[in-house]
């Protein structure tokens, strides 16, 4: 893993542990329909997710995960945008040039 990948992974871990502060959080209609208690459980599972493998995290950036909750497969994904959200970030390892957007969705919504 490169130094850049390590820094991106660190920033992504921070984003997951401080949703809405270190990143913007988007939940899909399917997640919203699960209700507040299950949403809370899902968010906690995203925050503590550590099941990264070379198969699901080939670049070592810890930007995607999936798990089962209430019989549903849940996906979460972090995307990197420029500061004005009009395109991709020129440097995802640089927080001054990047807005992280964490999306949590049902797999069937992908």
């Amino acid at each position: 893993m490169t130094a850049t990948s390590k820094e991106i992974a660190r920033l992504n871990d921070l984003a997951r542990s401080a949703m809405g502060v270190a990143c913007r959080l988007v939940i899909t209609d399917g997640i919203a329909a699960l209700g507040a208690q299950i949403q809370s459980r899902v968010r906690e599972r995203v925050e503590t997710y550590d099941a990264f493998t070379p198969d699901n995290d080939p670049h070592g950036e810890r930007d995607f995960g999936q798990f089962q909750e209430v019989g549903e497969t849940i996906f979460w994904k972090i995307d990197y945008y420029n500061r004005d959200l009009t395109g991709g970030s020129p440097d995802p390892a640089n927080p001054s040039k990047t807005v992280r957007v964490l999306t949590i969705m049902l797999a069937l919504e992908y």
Side-chain angles (χ1 to χ4, degrees):
M1 184 175 0
T2 68
T4 299
S5 293
K6 286 180 183 178
E7 180 60 10
I8 291 171
R10 185 188 73 76
L11 292 167
N12 287 345
D13 287 346
L14 176 62
R16 288 187 300 111
S17 67
M19 288 181 211
V21 177
C23 70
R24 296 198 183 188
L25 176 63
V26 175
I27 63 168
T28 61
D29 290 342
I31 296 295
L34 295 176
Q37 186 175 23
I38 295 170
Q39 284 179 47
S40 179
R41 223 171 38 229
V42 165
R43 287 175 59 147
E44 182 178 336
R45 292 201 53 197
V46 172
E47 289 171 355
T48 61
Y49 187 87
D50 66 356
F52 299 105
T53 68
D55 288 334
N56 69 14
D57 188 29
H59 304 289
E61 296 179 356
R62 301 197 291 261
D63 61 354
F64 172 82
Q66 71 179 50
F67 55 88
Q68 297 290 314
E69 184 68 44
V70 295
E72 297 283 354
T73 300
I74 309 293
F75 287 168
W76 63 266
K77 173 76 173 108
I78 298 174
D79 293 299
Y80 318 114
Y81 292 91
N82 60 23
R83 297 300 295 171
D84 58 4
L85 299 170
T86 59
S89 171
D91 182 3
N94 185 338
S96 70
K97 296 182 179 181
T98 305
V99 174
R100 282 175 161 67
V101 177
L102 170 58
T103 303
I104 304 173
M105 70 187 88
L106 299 176
L108 59 86
E109 293 177 297
Y110 182 72

